Amino acid sequence: FSYPFFFELWPLQMKLLSRKATCNSHGQDSSYFLGWQKYEKNPYHEIENPNGIIQMGLAENQLSFDLLESWIENNPDAAGFKRDGQSIFRELALFQDYHGLPDFKKALAEFMSEVRGNKVSFDPEKLVLAAGATSANETLMFCLAEPGDAFLLPTPYYPGFDRDLKWRTGVEIVPIHCHSKNNFRITESALEEAYQSAQKQNLRVKGVLVTNPSNPLGTTLTRDELNLLFTFITAKQIHLISDEIYSGTVFSSPDFVSAMEILTDEKYSMDTEVWNRVHIVYSLSKDLGLPGFRVGAIYSNDDVVVAAATKMSSFGLVSSQTQYLLAKMLSDEKFCKNYIVENKKRLKQQQEMLISGLQAAGIRCLKSNAGLFCWVDMSHLLSSKTFDAEMDLWKKIVYDVGLNISPGSSCHCSEPGWFRVCFANMSAETLNLAIQRLKSFVQSTAGDTRINSQRIHQSPKNSRRRSLTKWVFRLPSDGREPDER
């Protein structure tokens, strides 16, 4: 087609497609996704592309993959779809209903309890399987809200929620604005302000959704915050969704407190209404490092929600082969206990490496105890305290420094200068390289600032004599090794 002919056809094409297909509400134009696109065009590889972009925008856990691979090697029957040495490939390949394999749901429920220190238990009959947490969260939106209804979310929050919760459901997100002055903790006033904001927009609030541990903060909700949330949803007669997909990544104190733990308190356990309005989302993508397996789950005490979500799960099932393999893995108590302990140990080591490296570069992080990332404060590197300046800094870090990190604005942070930096999807050697790149950038930024300051204070008489070449260590934008210029 010639370009003019293509654009003549475009209005007709738009009329032939649905509004969902042609709208721009997916969120793909967010800087969160744009950074990924830049990385995919020039990905770092220690041998094939050592000057490429290092992916620090992907919350993926690759630190304990050797433990998974070792288990697979030692359990060939599970990986080979055999039972007592006999193939069950045909049994797994044929039709399965959407309730899921009972053995897998039982093993998953027990693993969820183990991750939470066995302080709570889960009934496999109240679990609904889904193709990852993305599918689970969207399914809950379909079950709990109508198009045009709203859910309240504390900021900053995972950028993908703009897609997962809103795009196909028509549900709106109203932010609960949290701030650095109290380490982004949820407060009663912030909850009430968000609720009133929704009402002013004529939005019916159907619930609150939190991630615990938080993505992107890497912190766990305190028991006081959870009690505050329970008081709030009780008073407003709305739902609470607790996305707990990072619950197995809590590597230091304070300990993780699940919404289920609060729900078992006497004052709530006898309240059927509240009991039925608290829902848990879980996944094996983060805790077990298996995002490609697409295993997510909804846990709810509401029989109607469980029944409806189960019917909807036919649009995003977990394959029988995946369920069979993981049922065997998660039923291995010795393996699960060792994995949870060792994985936390490795996460803590990697996190401490990142924090110490950033501190050496004069960059501070929010104190965190969980997750696969740090919430990093680079506000002192901004040219001005604006989100435009944050985007300028982000572009320099992606394009010039060669690190894809996520700007706080993509997470709807109310303060410019914060960034989410992931550390668990790479080796210690790659993380060290990323830290060195960032250090060099900070040093060059400080050098440029000093040079500009000196130039401003130079008198015209002495400017010629003082205009000696300044050698500054920086990473070129063309991706070559750092050099002196």
Side-chain angles (χ1 to χ4, degrees):
F1 292 120
S2 66
Y3 282 111
F5 181 61
F6 172 80
F7 285 113
E8 286 177 12
L9 286 177
W10 184 246
L12 176 62
Q13 180 77 353
M14 297 288 279
K15 291 180 181 179
L16 293 174
L17 299 176
S18 71
R19 283 181 294 175
K20 189 67 67 183
T22 56
C23 74
N24 192 32
S25 60
H26 179 273
Q28 197 71 31
D29 57 349
S30 164
S31 52
Y32 174 74
F33 294 109
L34 293 177
W36 280 36
Q37 293 171 18
K38 181 64 179 174
Y39 161 77
E40 288 168 357
K41 293 177 182 177
N42 184 28
Y44 167 81
H45 188 278
E46 58 184 353
I47 297 173
E48 298 176 3
N49 190 22
N51 299 315
I53 296 174
I54 297 174
Q55 174 63 291
M56 305 187 84
L58 176 61
E60 191 171 75
N61 184 7
Q62 298 182 21
L63 300 183
S64 300
F65 222 77
D66 61 305
L67 303 180
L68 302 174
E69 291 175 323
S70 177
W71 188 91
I72 293 290
E73 185 177 345
N74 294 328
N75 293 270
D77 273 13
F81 306 125
K82 293 181 180 181
R83 184 187 298 125
D84 300 325
Q86 301 297 313
S87 174
I88 58 169
F89 176 78
R90 180 183 179 88
E91 177 184 329
L92 295 173
L94 296 179
F95 176 78
Q96 298 282 348
D97 73 26
Y98 43 53
H99 290 86
L101 301 182
D103 286 350
F104 174 62
K105 292 176 73 174
K106 178 176 181 294
L108 180 61
E110 291 173 351
F111 183 73
M112 290 171 65
S113 296
E114 184 70 33
V115 161
R116 290 157 180 77
N118 291 308
K119 297 175 184 176
V120 292
S121 60
F122 295 89
D123 181 354
E125 295 300 315
K126 297 179 179 181
L127 271 176
V128 180
L129 301 182
T134 293
S135 177
N137 277 311
E138 185 188 55
T139 297
L140 275 176
M141 290 298 108
F142 277 122
C143 289
L144 306 181
E146 300 289 348
D149 288 344
F151 262 76
L152 310 182
L153 271 70
T155 64
Y157 62 77
Y158 165 55
F161 280 150
D162 292 321
R163 169 200 63 198
D164 302 351
L165 308 183
K166 296 173 56 177
W167 185 43
R168 298 198 298 184
T169 66
V171 171
E172 298 294 332
I173 293 176
V174 176
I176 303 168
H177 290 294
C178 302
H179 305 281
S180 62
K181 62 184 179 182
N182 71 338
N183 296 323
F184 298 97
R185 292 297 177 184
I186 300 171
T187 63
E188 182 179 2
S189 59
L191 283 168
E192 192 58 43
E193 285 171 12
Y195 190 85
Q196 295 300 327
S197 174
Q199 288 196 319
K200 289 177 182 177
Q201 299 174 61
N202 295 318
L203 298 173
R204 181 174 60 168
V205 176
K206 295 304 294 290
V208 179
L209 186 150
V210 296
T211 56
N212 184 29
S214 168
N215 177 8
L217 299 178
T219 57
T220 49
L221 291 176
T222 65
R223 190 175 291 273
D224 286 344
E225 285 177 291
L226 285 165
N227 282 322
L228 175 63
L229 287 165
F230 271 72
T231 300
F232 182 76
I233 67 160
T234 301
K236 304 297 186 185
Q237 296 187 313
I238 57 179
H239 296 272
L240 173 65
I241 299 174
S242 184
D243 184 325
E244 300 183 356
I245 67 173
Y246 290 96
S247 52
T249 71
V250 182
F251 46 76
S252 60
S253 60
D255 291 338
F256 173 70
V257 181
S258 170
M260 278 299 294
E261 197 173 333
I262 303 297
L263 198 58
T264 56
D265 188 281
E266 286 185 10
K267 64 180 178 181
Y268 297 118
S269 61
M270 301 302 292
D271 189 333
T272 306
E273 285 299 310
V274 176
W275 184 259
N276 287 344
R277 292 205 307 268
V278 177
H279 319 277
I280 309 291
V281 168
Y282 190 60
S283 164
L284 296 180
S285 296
K286 311 302 182 182
D287 287 357
L288 208 56
L290 297 173
F293 275 30
R294 307 310 305 147
V295 179
I298 296 167
Y299 189 85
S300 178
N301 291 302
D302 189 323
D303 293 338
V304 177
V305 170
V306 171
T310 300
K311 295 170 187 173
M312 292 182 189
S313 70
S314 61
F315 294 100
L317 295 172
V318 182
S319 76
S320 299
Q321 292 87 346
T322 299
Q323 292 185 57
Y324 177 76
L325 172 62
L326 292 180
K328 294 297 183 182
M329 181 182 286
L330 298 183
S331 296
D332 187 334
E333 292 184 17
K334 182 179 179 181
F335 165 78
C336 288
K337 289 180 184 293
N338 177 68
Y339 179 90
I340 292 170
V341 171
E342 182 62 24
N343 183 55
K344 290 181 179 182
K345 177 182 175 183
R346 296 182 186 186
L347 286 172
K348 184 177 182 180
Q349 289 175 341
Q350 197 90 336
Q351 186 237 27
E352 289 176 345
M353 180 180 176
L354 175 60
I355 290 176
S356 62
L358 292 175
Q359 286 177 340
I363 298 172
R364 76 177 188 93
C365 303
L366 181 73
K367 185 177 180 181
S368 59
N369 64 321
L372 312 177
F373 32 72
C374 289
W375 189 238
V376 179
D377 181 9
M378 298 192 201
S379 58
H380 62 293
L381 299 177
L382 300 181
S383 59
S384 63
K385 301 299 182 184
T386 64
F387 287 109
D388 285 340
E390 177 183 282
M391 290 307 298
D392 289 340
L393 177 60
W394 174 74
K395 289 175 183 176
K396 289 178 183 177
I397 293 173
V398 174
Y399 291 92
D400 298 343
V401 183
L403 306 176
N404 177 38
I405 62 177
S406 304
S409 54
S410 70
C411 304
H412 299 271
C413 184
S414 56
E415 303 172 19
W418 291 88
F419 295 82
R420 191 191 75 167
V421 180
C422 299
F423 58 77
N425 61 321
M426 65 192 74
S427 66
E429 292 75 18
T430 301
L431 181 59
N432 183 59
L433 174 61
I435 292 169
Q436 295 308 315
R437 287 185 181 184
L438 195 55
K439 279 184 181 178
S440 300
F441 170 70
V442 173
Q443 289 169 0
S444 71
T445 301
D448 289 345
T449 301
R450 287 194 298 270
I451 292 168
N452 291 333
S453 178
Q454 289 171 1
R455 285 174 177 169
I456 291 172
H457 290 92
Q458 283 178 6
S459 65
K461 178 179 179 180
N462 295 325
S463 62
R464 188 179 193 81
R465 179 168 55 85
R466 294 181 181 177
S467 60
L468 300 174
T469 303
K470 298 291 191 293
W471 298 92
V472 180
F473 186 70
R474 63 180 63 172
L475 187 74
S477 60
D478 57 13
R480 292 180 285 110
E481 287 289 346
D483 59 0
E484 290 186 326
R485 297 184 182 181

